[in-house]
Structures are given as structure tokens and as C-alpha cells.
Amino acid sequence: MARPDRLAKNLVDASLELHRRRSWTKVPADAPFLIRVPTEEEPLAGVLIGQDGEELGLMVVKGPDAIGQLRRTFLAGEPSRERSDRCDFLSVSFERLGRIPADLRKTLDAAGFQARREGIAPFLFAKPAHRHLRGLNRGEMRTLNWCLAGVLGAEDQGELRPAPLVRGRKLLQLEVGGTPRAPEVKARRVSWSADEVAAGAAPALLPADLRELPRTDGRWIAGLTLVPGQIEGDERTLYAVLILDEGPDQILAAEVVAGGEPAEAVSVLIGSLRQHGAPREIVFTSEALMESAAPGLATLGVASSLDREEPLWSQAAARLIASLSERMSGSTPAERLALAEPRTLEDWKLAELQFTQVLVGDLLDRELLTSRAAKRYFGSEEDAVELQRELEHVGVIPAFIEWVAADYRPTRRSRTYVEKRLARKGLEPAERALLEARRDAKLSYYRVDSCEPGASLEVEDLLTGRRFTVQDRALSAVPLEGLHLPLRLLQVGDWYFPAIAGPPVSAFHIDRVLARLEDLGMTLAPDALRAEAHLLGRTWAWFLEQKAGSVELRNTDDDPLELHTAEFHAADPAALVSALEARDDVIVDEPGAEWTHVREGGPGGVGDTTTLCRLELFDDSLLVEVNSERRLERARAWIEKLPGVRFVSARRTDSEAEEARPMDDRLPGPPPGPLPPELIAELSGHMEEHAMRWLDEPVPALGELTPRAACATEEGRRRVARLVRTMPSMQVPGGEIPAPRERILRELRL
């Protein structure tokens, strides 16, 4: 076997480290940053993607206007295929190995990477402007390797804190240097211009004979749209030039050109002008095409305007793309939807996606998502409206739809939507299988034990103890370990797909939520939840209460609790120390270095003093920490009167202002490493000892019975087993120590 290529292996290892850390979950969505690396003259613009659970990884845009390209292409509303095709970028994302085309696996092969087809692998590619994506060359591998080193290094230093672009706010820039084996990363904030614009397309010269064309009162619509496919041996992307006459809704031209260059599209436009005459106005849906054609058209007396969303053109373009796709795939949309015999995991995922779209459309067409159904599920029509509005992003609407489809019976004798659809004749095998999966879904609460981001979750049923591997890209992309999810598990083929049935619950709230469901009348026993599945809809209100129930924290002066740090410059540090230590209202914590400013009288009459701020001297810099804005103003008033002291800056340092923290502040150390094995073993032993004692201690949730005594009845055994399966693990630096659930269950013969 060939020895792995070192550069490729380093790149793959860094990519897998990004995947292991789930770095995209630690930064806001749409928060770009700049990266300066030794292999590129201009700074690159990067963004971590994956906050929505779909595409995961790092995207890096190249070019002299990289941040402008990134902003216009990927951060300006809904992503556009045309805008992204004009962008030159590198990417590392994560896909199942079987979904990565063979010609794009060269870096993985060179690195000696091995995995099953279903396993997650780094998907490394370059996407030059107006070209199809391709594998990385060695220069691009080096560049992307440096970028990953910058991101991971900044995360280690606690400085990976990009923020969404806002006018006036500085941009995070990572400067990566050193050597590939020992990269050095410096983070700072730099200014950027919100008024950057892309270089316009060069105006095209129109032939002189066009000036003799007859004039019409027509209004044309012209634009470019990407089309599927590729010319063999040609890396350029393909576009269709589509020109319509608005009046008779007539297609004047529909030609495919390579590379998306405006000059070729203008040639098609010239042909239409010669054939049909010059219209009064042409509305362009492509900015580049308008910039190229408009100056020449003006000499013909033809007005030009831009409307990227022109509906008539958009509909015609969609029909054209659908027609081209059908010719290339050799099947009609209905045939593709049927997917008569899915075999692989990807086949089933596609079939499930397509069927879900059909299911939602059918439920809407049949008006089954009624206010009556919503009232039964959420408890009231008012709650239904508020919860669907406030919690749309956490899955409340899909959960409601799945309940309506699989469990809702308008009357006692009614059949569910799934049962009615299964009774139809002529169902395709995939449709029947997906309907049966919903009919037979395993509805329960599941503890999430581990996730493979972008692929699967390992879960355990709290009611039965059965374990499942659940295939889901979005859910596995976010850190759910230790949470409890109400899920419907749909078995399709050899796999389980999840459907959200309620909000996530932490280990510290799960017992309370389950008790609340029992109070509502739910029987928490295997196979009993489906009969009362609507009660899970009531847990959304609890979830919203938890979100809205945060208490505003205030200090002892009744100021809103807002942590601030101020910096002062001391022209004469020795004189400052003397002045501070001479004050009666300053306590010396460490002579010459640390002090506490106090006032007489404890908060609420308890104690002798109240702490107002803390002060710390570093060379000629005095740092002052306070817990409210008003206390900061009072502190400045007396500190600036000290000899040789000058105010420099102040900043919020609580979680609300973390994104505004100056980059030149003292860097925190790297995150704590894992605990030594001997300490983990000792803590694990203490945890097991405590658990064994718990077996013989009265538990309020069991009516003050001990767990051992409660196991005398079948109902008690179920309750004890549920308590054991919801025991939280112990969180420690570098990981966690699992609760000794298996040992307890064996001890109680559960």
C-alpha cells in the first residue's frame, strides 16, 4: 500500500478535527471573518456553515474582493446559484463517503483515508468562478490547510468569535504564520467597507447595422439561468440565455452557452433583435448581462432596467430547467417521485424527502391542518398560534403535521390520514413503505448518547431501554448528547429515520416533564404513547415558558447586571499604588497588584461592606471590573482623579457583548485537557458508590419508597427503570463520565 501523502493527510486530519469539535455550533450563523495565510497575497474570506444542520464545514472565498463576494453571494438572503457560480471559493464539508463522486476523492485517497460508504468523510473541493467544482490541486490544499489551522488555533485561544456583518463593526481577521507543523495564529479586528461592489461587466459593442432595425412597443425580459449538465472535457458551467416578449408571453430565444460570460449572452440578444426588431424596453434579470448590454441598447433608444425576481421570466426559466432535467435524467417528475424500489440509505432519504413534501401538500389541499386539530394538539387555538409563531425554528410545525398525519382522528371512529391513504390501490412500493413506517412508528422519549455529525445519533428509549442508531443529518449536526428527545422512529429499509414529536428536554427537567404528562393522563408505558400522542403537543407550551422564564439579574444597587471591564493608563504606576493603598474605601488584596473598592454597609443590611469594583494593575495598565454601567460611571469619576491616570477604554464582558470583546485583550489559555485516567477512575468509583446507596434511600418521585422497594410492583419497576435511564452523566474537562445505569439495572434485575 502506498505511503500516505503528508500534505493530504494533514488536510484530512484537520478537517476531521473541525468535524469532531463541531466548530460551526460555536459561532453565529452568517458570521464571516478574514484569514491571512502564507500562500495567498490577498486575505481570504471564511465562514463556518452548519448552524442550520444541513451543510457543515468551512467555506473560504478567494480574490481581491473576497469579503464583498462572500457577503453578496452567501450572506445576502437566500443563496443564489448564479451568484455562487460567479464566486471563486474552496470548501471542506462533510458527506457520506458513498455520495462523494469518485473523481473528487483524490485527496482522501492520497491521505490514505478509509471508511464505509455510509461513513462521514471530508468533502474537499475547489469551485473556480464559472467552472464546475473539482478536486483540490496542491496549492489549494496548502491554502485550505492553513485556513483550517487558523480556525482551530483561534478556537484553542478562545478568539474564534466572528460576528454578523454590521456597518461600523470591525471584522475578525486571523493571521496565520509559523510553519505547517507549528502554525501560529493571531486574531485582531480590522475595518471593512460596506460599500464594496463587484467589478462590472465590460460594455459590449453592438453592430452598427442594429441602428437600422424597426422599432416596436414591446417589452422584453432577458436573463441567464444555470442549467444542469456539463460538456465533456469542458470545466465551464452551462447557462441558458432566455429572452421573452412580455406581451404575447412568447419565448424569443432559449440557447445554452458555456461559462456564463455576458458576451456570449449578448450575441444571443443581438440575434433576437435582428429577428424581431428593437423593443421599447428590456428588463434584465441578470445584473452582469444588463451592465454589458445596456450602454449599447441606449444608443438604439432601448431602455434597460433590472428585476432579479421578474415572475414571468422566473416561471419560464423554471419550466426550461425542468424540461432540460427530464431530458438528461430520462424520467418525468412523477417517475422520479415514485422511486419505486429504493435500496440504499441515500435512496430512502430522497424518497422520504419527496414523500414528506407530497404529504404536506396533500394535508393542506384537504384542509386537514384545521384549528380544531390545532386546539386538540396544543390545548387552545391561542396557544396554537403563539407556539407555531415563536417555536417554528425548533420543529413545532413538523411535529404537529406528523401527528395530524399519523394519529389525529377527528372522531372516535375516524381513520387517520395514513390509514386512509394506505387503503388506496396502486400505491408505489416506496410510498407504501413510508406510510407503513408512520403507522408503525415507535413514539417515545429517547436519551441521546452520541452523535456522528452529519450522519447519525445513538439513542436509548427511556421506556424500554432499547437502543437505536437513527439516521439524520440535521439533528446529528448539533450537540444533543445528554438531551432527551420525543421522537417518532420510522423504520424504512434497514434504517431508522426520526420525526420530531416535541421539544428537547435536559436531564434536569425530564422527570418533571414526564410527571406533567402523567398528570395530563398519558400512560408512560411501551406502545401506549400513540393513543395519547396529542398530549406531547402540550409540552411545547412548557418549553416556551422555560425560554421566556429567565429572570433579569440585578446587583445590590438594583442596576441591571452587566459585567464591564475598563482600562486606564497609569503614567506613574508607583504613585497610583500609593494613592490606592492610602484610601480608606479600598481593600488591598495583593500589595501593589490587586484591590477591591467597597462602601460601608453590607447588601440588605447583612455584613460590613458592599463590593463596588475590583482593580488589577498590569505594568502601566489598570483594569477595573464592575457589574453595572452605573457603577462603571461612578468608578471612572474617582479613578480619573488619581495622579497620572487616564481612561483608555471600556467594554461589556458578559455573554451579551462577547462578540464586541477587543482582540488585543489578554488571550485566555487553551481549554483544559482531559482528566488523568486515574482521576476519572476515582470519580467513576464515587459515582457508583453514590448510585448503590441511592437504591436504598427514599425517593420523593417514588412516593418516598426506596428504588429497591418500589420494584415490588410492575408499575414501580417501570418508574424506577425510567429514573435510572434519565440519570445524567458527570461532565468533566475533556468529556463525561457516564452514569452507572447498566449496573443499577442489573442490580435491580431490570
Side-chain angles (χ1 to χ4, degrees):
M1 183 176 177
R3 188 174 182 179
D5 178 83
R6 179 178 297 175
L7 175 59
K9 189 173 188 313
N10 288 345
L11 178 57
V12 169
D13 288 347
S15 302
L16 292 173
E17 178 63 15
L18 184 79
H19 180 264
R20 184 191 68 80
R21 296 187 185 190
R22 291 194 188 99
S23 299
W24 53 84
T25 66
K26 302 168 187 175
V27 301
D30 299 340
F33 48 92
L34 295 173
I35 315 177
R36 283 194 172 273
V37 299
T39 53
E40 298 286 333
E41 292 185 9
E42 301 285 346
L44 306 166
V47 64
L48 285 162
I49 54 177
Q51 294 84 354
D52 60 357
E54 292 302 320
E55 298 297 328
L56 319 174
L58 171 68
M59 181 181 297
V60 180
V61 176
K62 303 168 66 177
D65 182 29
I67 192 64
Q69 288 269 24
L70 178 66
R71 178 171 61 87
R72 289 186 297 272
T73 303
F74 301 107
L75 307 183
E78 201 65 26
S80 161
R81 292 179 64 207
E82 288 77 15
R83 286 198 299 266
S84 63
D85 188 57
R86 295 196 295 266
C87 200
D88 185 358
F89 63 92
L90 309 176
S91 177
V92 52
S93 58
F94 300 94
E95 285 286 356
R96 300 182 192 279
L97 183 60
R99 296 191 64 183
I100 301 177
D103 60 331
L104 296 177
R105 296 186 200 170
K106 293 178 181 177
T107 303
L108 297 179
D109 295 339
F113 178 83
Q114 294 183 337
R116 297 174 60 88
R117 282 183 54 84
E118 296 81 9
I120 288 293
F123 184 15
L124 301 150
F125 65 85
K127 170 61 179 71
H130 299 300
R131 297 292 186 272
H132 287 281
L133 58 86
R134 54 167 174 76
L136 304 175
N137 59 39
R138 294 194 70 77
E140 291 161 343
M141 288 168 63
R142 292 188 181 93
T143 294
L144 194 51
N145 204 25
W146 280 115
C147 291
L148 285 166
V151 169
L152 297 173
E155 186 177 342
D156 287 340
Q157 296 172 4
E159 294 295 351
L160 186 62
R161 290 195 297 273
L165 290 178
V166 174
R167 186 184 294 272
R169 176 189 288 160
K170 291 190 174 182
L171 192 66
L172 171 65
Q173 178 169 283
L174 306 178
E175 299 171 355
V176 191
T179 66
R181 290 189 177 183
E184 298 174 357
V185 182
K186 294 181 181 178
R188 64 190 185 97
R189 298 278 172 178
V190 298
S191 299
W192 63 282
S193 172
D195 300 320
E196 296 166 323
V197 294
L205 295 176
L206 300 187
D209 66 300
L210 295 185
R211 296 179 183 177
E212 307 302 323
L213 290 175
R215 301 297 190 265
T216 73
D217 195 40
R219 182 175 184 266
W220 292 6
I221 311 165
L224 294 167
T225 183
L226 271 169
V227 299
Q230 182 174 357
I231 300 172
E232 187 173 353
D234 192 335
E235 291 185 351
R236 292 178 297 171
T237 48
L238 299 180
Y239 281 79
V241 184
L242 182 61
I243 304 174
L244 304 179
D245 184 342
E246 182 187 54
D249 189 11
Q250 177 184 1
I251 295 180
L252 304 179
E255 294 188 25
V256 174
V257 298
E261 296 299 334
E264 293 193 53
V266 171
S267 296
V268 177
L269 178 60
I270 290 171
S272 295
L273 290 168
R274 284 182 170 142
Q275 185 176 356
H276 301 283
R280 166 179 49 85
E281 177 189 8
I282 299 181
V283 178
F284 291 92
T285 63
S286 166
E287 187 172 6
L289 179 56
M290 186 185 78
E291 289 174 347
S292 183
L297 290 172
T299 65
L300 306 180
V302 179
S304 300
S305 61
L306 179 68
D307 184 353
R308 296 187 184 90
E309 307 298 328
E310 213 292 330
L312 191 64
W313 188 92
S314 298
Q315 294 164 14
R319 291 194 298 270
L320 175 63
I321 295 301
S323 174
L324 290 170
S325 298
E326 287 171 27
R327 277 185 256 168
M328 292 178 182
S329 66
S331 62
T332 66
E335 289 169 339
R336 291 198 301 277
L337 178 61
L339 284 172
E341 296 183 10
R343 291 185 175 86
T344 68
L345 175 59
E346 271 63 45
D347 287 347
W348 276 114
K349 275 292 184 182
L350 179 59
E352 164 65 5
L353 174 63
Q354 293 179 339
F355 177 72
T356 300
Q357 293 170 344
V358 171
L359 181 147
V360 172
D362 202 24
L363 289 174
L364 290 171
D365 290 343
R366 294 170 180 271
E367 299 182 346
L368 294 177
L369 302 176
T370 61
S371 58
R372 180 181 176 188
K375 181 178 179 181
R376 178 160 175 76
Y377 183 75
F378 293 106
S380 72
E381 292 184 34
E382 293 77 11
D383 284 348
V385 172
E386 180 185 13
L387 293 169
Q388 290 181 77
R389 182 184 66 246
E390 297 293 332
L391 300 178
E392 179 180 4
H393 63 291
V394 290
V396 64
I397 295 175
F400 173 54
I401 289 173
E402 288 289 347
W403 171 76
V404 169
D407 288 320
Y408 177 52
R409 302 177 190 275
T411 68
R412 289 188 178 182
R413 296 184 179 181
S414 298
R415 290 183 297 174
T416 66
Y417 169 84
V418 165
E419 290 168 345
K420 290 178 181 177
R421 188 150 181 156
L422 275 170
R424 296 180 186 176
K425 295 181 180 180
L427 293 177
E428 291 290 344
E431 182 180 1
R432 179 170 293 281
L434 291 166
L435 285 166
E436 289 174 347
R438 282 172 166 78
R439 181 195 64 193
D440 303 332
K442 297 171 173 57
L443 176 62
S444 188
Y445 272 89
Y446 297 87
R447 187 187 68 246
V448 181
D449 286 338
S450 64
C451 299
E452 184 180 2
S456 61
L457 307 86
E458 296 293 328
V459 302
E460 179 177 307
D461 188 334
L462 297 186
L463 304 183
T464 67
R466 286 191 63 191
R467 303 185 65 82
F468 299 90
T469 299
V470 180
Q471 307 291 334
D472 191 86
R473 183 182 185 89
L475 283 179
S476 63
V478 294
L480 295 174
E481 290 89 344
L483 291 180
H484 301 84
L485 302 180
L487 299 172
R488 298 171 186 269
L489 295 192
L490 318 179
Q491 184 171 7
V492 288
D494 297 327
W495 300 279
Y496 286 97
F497 297 166
I500 291 291
V505 185
S506 73
F508 301 101
H509 290 117
I510 184 64
D511 290 335
R512 189 187 315 169
V513 170
L514 294 178
R516 184 168 181 169
L517 287 171
E518 286 185 312
D519 291 341
L520 290 172
M522 177 172 276
T523 303
L524 294 176
D527 303 322
L529 270 63
R530 291 291 297 271
E532 296 146 351
H534 65 283
L535 295 176
L536 285 173
R538 315 300 168 82
T539 62
W540 292 105
W542 167 84
F543 184 75
L544 187 58
E545 289 170 9
Q546 299 303 306
K547 287 187 62 180
S550 55
V551 179
E552 183 182 20
L553 300 178
R554 292 181 172 269
N555 64 16
T556 53
D557 290 336
D558 200 33
D559 301 333
L561 195 64
E562 300 171 347
L563 305 184
H564 290 73
T565 297
E567 181 181 356
F568 297 81
H569 175 72
D572 186 347
L576 170 63
V577 170
S578 298
L580 283 173
E581 298 187 353
R583 291 177 64 100
D584 294 334
D585 57 354
V586 171
I587 297 173
V588 179
D589 299 319
E590 182 179 333
E594 297 180 18
W595 304 268
T596 301
H597 180 224
V598 299
R599 68 167 176 239
E600 291 187 2
V606 179
D608 299 325
T609 60
T610 296
T611 297
L612 299 178
C613 69
R614 299 188 185 279
L615 306 93
E616 194 169 358
L617 185 63
F618 295 90
D619 298 325
D620 59 356
S621 292
L622 179 68
L623 296 182
V624 179
E625 296 179 344
V626 297
N627 62 12
S628 77
E629 186 174 2
R630 191 163 60 147
R631 284 186 176 177
L632 175 60
E633 293 172 357
R634 292 172 178 169
R636 279 191 62 177
W638 68 267
I639 292 174
E640 288 184 282
K641 294 178 181 178
L642 297 175
V645 174
R646 174 176 56 83
F647 174 74
V648 176
S649 65
R651 56 183 169 81
R652 284 276 299 276
T653 51
D654 54 18
S655 58
E656 294 179 13
E658 188 66 19
E659 63 185 30
R661 183 181 177 191
M663 282 289 131
D664 57 356
D665 190 23
R666 292 172 296 147
L667 295 177
L675 295 180
E678 56 272 16
L679 181 53
I680 290 179
E682 183 179 347
L683 290 173
S684 181
H686 288 318
M687 200 173 182
E688 288 205 17
E689 289 176 13
H690 179 270
M692 292 301 106
R693 289 197 301 271
W694 174 79
L695 295 179
D696 298 298
E697 295 174 351
V699 176
L702 299 174
E704 298 301 332
L705 291 175
T706 68
R708 205 182 296 275
C711 286
T713 66
E714 187 62 32
E715 175 61 20
R717 290 169 67 82
R718 280 202 299 267
R719 287 180 173 274
V720 171
R722 199 171 71 222
L723 286 174
V724 174
R725 293 188 184 111
T726 57
M727 281 183 173
S729 299
M730 180 188 296
Q731 302 300 316
V732 297
E736 66 177 21
I737 300 175
R741 304 183 191 100
E742 298 300 326
R743 181 179 174 185
I744 299 172
L745 293 172
R746 285 197 304 270
E747 176 72 18
L748 296 174
R749 297 182 180 180
L750 297 176

